[in-house]
Amino acid sequence: MERNKDQNTQAYVQILGTGMDTQETSPSVLLCFDHERFIFNAGEGLQRFCMEYKIKLSQIDHICLTRVCSETTGGLPGLLLTLAGMKNGSSESDDHVRIWGPPNLDLLVNAMKTYVPHAVMTKKNIIPQSGSALASPLHAEELRDVEKFKAVSISVFLLSPTQFSSNDTSIVYICKLHDIRGKVDIVKAKAYGLEDKRKLGQLQKGISVKSDLLDIEVHPDDVIGPPIPGPIVLIVDCPTEPHAQELFSAQALDVYYSNSESNSTNVVNCIIHLSPATVVNSPVYEKWMRKFDSAQHIMARATRKHETTPILASSARIGTRLHYLCPQLFPDPSFPSVHNDDDDVAAPNIKVPVEGSVCGISAENLLKFALRPPRKLGLDRSCVQNTMTSSVFIEELLSEIPEIADAAKSISKFWHKPKEDEVELSDRQDSNDVVTEEPSKFCVPKCLENVQRDDLEIVFLGTGSSIPSKYRNVSSIYVNLFSKGGLLLDCGEGTLAQLKRRYGISGADSVVRNLKCIWISHIHADHHAGLARILALRRDLLKEVENEPILVIGPEKVGEFLKEYIKLEDLDMLFLDCWSTTRSKWDNMEAEDSSLQPCSKKLKPSTPLDDIALLKHLRKVLGEAGLVRLISFPVVHCDDAFGVILESADRMNRGEVVPGWKVVYSGDTRPCSEVINASLGATILIHEATFEDGLVEEAIARNHSTIKEALEVGDSAGAYRVILTHFSQRYPKVPALDEVSMQRTCIAFDLMSVNLADLPVLPKVLPYLKLLFRNNG
């Protein structure tokens, strides 16, 4: 039976604040009805956000994109994979989410097909350049689906300034709820001889009935009052001022303006602005806003200065607790440092001009605008978060675990200031001094002799597996070489946001600007879905200065994805297959080095280069960073899965040669000889530990490692320190370890920053971490 389209008891539009704290992606907007849900834009972090706030992704019916770029679609691949898993991914199912977007949506879909199953994306809907009602491009069979668009009609208008390419098209969505049929006029009903109350109900449903007392047929219009017009919401995204100029000049929107003759039936109640603050503050955009007398303007991209409430509260709570316990390993997650000081990203100061009234506010996370019932029409702050600060989290911690204060004091004693005669160690960062005490039976490797704190720091940006969770983001590691730049090992969704949480906005920009290369272990989305966003930001940061394209090293499938994606937006990069960076390839290149022409100093993405030329370029880039080699090696996971070895150059200390350090990252893998051989004598082995020890069969089935297996690999290789990562998202805390393993092991948490100089003391922190999470199992 078809549902009555007026039966939505509640309807609202809500700001989903992805990126509101870190400003690296576009917020999403939820349009919610009793039986139908639309999400506008799916930037990175959307899944993690929905988990935090218990928004059921399985109930999403449509994803509508205002633009197609990394800023608005970075979370789409992971979201589609998750939804397919929830709905069994059947290509025969009508439960697939529908994706709507401009013509270049096809380019994104083609790129995603390199790693997202084709069946997951069979329900894409391209909005033609001319613009139309959203339902009109549907195929005939979908038009017969009575479950779609029952509560709202959505029209679109495309903004495509002539000076931009078609890939820069932006969409304005106009969402109009259906009118509510008027109430029955009882006096008129009696005059038409109606006594049966059931017939009044039928009339309200639009069904004509026979009079009880007169020989006539009574039609709904005879006894029903005028309908209540449905509210209208506009979703507007103007990325540039030329887009805003086209918006201002668009005749297609004339019927919605306050001076329109049809305005009595097309009153716009709410406009959500996804445009950046620089555009919103422009004269032409403000002039366009004044065309709506009564609309509530919500600025979703405006920065709320001095905001102290983190968007991902669960993660921030853990980060604050970890920092309290051990600030040497866990940075302060204070959120005011995230915000930029530039005035151009501040919340627009919307004034009430003489010639018109503009009612505008800066969006808050989870802010709603209620659309139904009519009596509640307007802003609803009931879901907006209460202010949470670090002090609140610390008070909770001290109340829950009083002895944690003494634990923090004990940990601080592991770090002490250098002796006055140790000149080499005098260059410190803050109060994080070099540890000279060795807590275990294992000898300190010679590479740590008089090491300085600006040599190497490993920052874990994501330590979870599969999908982002409240507590752990997906895989990404930043290798910080300080003044010499840095590298990314894997780049899962949300990598950029994590960099901004670790370094602040300007600090993260500096990190991205100075990246030497990016290495990807395999094609699974949780290891590379954040790549396009990082590359796009680097492109924008360096567009005004002379620079070389960055090298991305990964398996062949990642190269195929990038080849397709750059048809959508330029990423200023060159790709090198992992197979071209194996030890044998390095050996062959160096053996033949004298007979090869040196590679060009200035590489361009359009220049055809063979792998040897790219490998020579990689050697040059690594040399500038103080590294000798980046060696990929195959591991046991999916096809073309790799681990990596980083080797630093030797250095001089008091006239003696000190060997360089060696860091090995396993990627995703079963325990195997390849990892053991690669890790022989490693200073640090970063190994995946997806499953707890009781789940060996599941680990085997999925080609992952248990915690015990990962530690055994480290023991077999004689690695000095083993850091475990890539934990199953059902285990967000500290696993059980035996006493022997604890002497060389540490558990990674998001944003944990391990300085090379702190390796000797690293295992000593582990018992205190177990205390911190003792109530979490």
Side-chain angles (χ1 to χ4, degrees), residues 413-419 421-422 425 428 432-440 442-444 448-451 453 720-721 756-762 764:
K413 294 177 182 177
F414 299 155
W415 279 261
H416 60 81
K417 292 184 179 180
K419 299 174 184 177
D421 60 343
E422 291 180 334
L425 305 183
R428 308 282 184 228
N432 297 352
D433 300 308
V434 171
V435 175
T436 58
E437 179 183 357
E438 167 59 25
S440 74
F442 304 105
C443 295
V444 178
L448 298 185
E449 184 178 298
N450 292 321
V451 67
R453 299 194 68 83
Y720 175 61
R721 291 290 178 256
L756 186 66
D758 294 338
L759 289 184
V761 81
L762 196 59
K764 269 197 167 183

Side-chain angles (χ1 to χ4, degrees), residues 44-244:
E44 287 189 29
L46 179 58
Q47 276 194 90
R48 199 175 186 196
F49 179 94
C50 290
M51 289 182 186
E52 178 78 29
Y53 296 104
K54 297 184 169 118
I55 296 171
K56 294 183 178 179
L57 290 171
S58 60
Q59 295 180 353
I60 301 302
D61 301 291
H62 305 275
I63 299 172
C64 304
L65 304 175
T66 59
R67 288 179 288 137
V68 179
C69 61
S70 63
E71 191 177 26
T72 56
T73 66
L76 185 60
L79 182 60
L80 292 177
L81 289 166
T82 299
L83 288 171
M86 291 177 178
K87 300 177 179 182
N88 298 320
S90 170
S91 59
E92 304 298 322
S93 172
D94 268 344
D95 286 337
H96 278 70
V97 66
R98 270 70 170 169
I99 311 170
W100 304 86
N104 58 344
L105 175 59
D106 259 342
L107 298 178
L108 177 65
V109 169
N110 288 338
M112 289 194 299
K113 282 178 181 176
T114 57
Y115 64 96
V116 176
H118 176 71
V120 174
M121 296 180 294
T122 55
K123 299 295 184 181
K124 72 178 188 299
N125 299 275
I126 303 299
I127 297 174
Q129 197 69 30
S130 59
S132 63
L134 191 57
S136 60
L138 292 173
H139 299 296
E141 64 271 20
E142 290 174 312
L143 281 174
R144 293 196 295 267
D145 185 351
V146 298
E147 295 300 313
K148 303 302 174 187
F149 298 97
K150 298 307 298 180
V152 64
S153 61
I154 300 182
S155 300
V156 299
F157 178 75
L158 275 66
L159 304 174
S160 189
T162 55
Q163 61 266 54
F164 291 94
S165 75
S166 59
N167 286 347
D168 296 306
T169 297
S170 179
I171 296 177
V172 176
Y173 287 92
I174 305 159
C175 310
K176 186 180 190 305
L177 277 66
H178 297 308
D179 296 345
I180 295 179
R181 190 175 294 276
K183 295 182 179 180
V184 175
D185 188 321
I186 299 300
V187 175
K188 287 184 178 181
K190 288 183 178 179
Y192 278 94
L194 292 173
E195 293 184 339
D196 188 344
K197 292 183 178 180
R198 290 176 296 178
K199 291 185 177 180
L200 299 182
Q202 289 179 299
L203 287 166
Q204 283 190 308
K205 293 179 180 179
I207 302 171
S208 300
V209 298
K210 289 284 187 180
S211 171
D212 297 313
L213 303 179
L214 305 174
D215 187 21
I216 59 172
E217 186 173 28
V218 183
H219 302 289
D221 292 343
D222 296 332
V223 297
I224 303 279
I228 301 173
I232 298 176
V233 177
L234 268 58
I235 313 289
V236 183
D237 182 3
C238 287
T240 68
E241 286 194 39
H243 287 83

Side-chain angles (χ1 to χ4, degrees), residues 540-559:
D540 293 342
L541 292 172
L542 296 175
K543 64 183 177 183
E544 302 298 332
V545 299
E546 186 176 0
N547 71 93
E548 293 182 332
I550 190 172
L551 267 176
V552 176
I553 303 145
E556 182 181 10
K557 283 286 187 182
V558 171

Side-chain angles (χ1 to χ4, degrees), residues 394-408:
I394 296 304
E395 288 175 10
E396 292 176 351
L397 173 61
L398 294 174
S399 174
E400 180 185 329
I401 310 174
E403 59 267 43
I404 205 71
D406 290 335

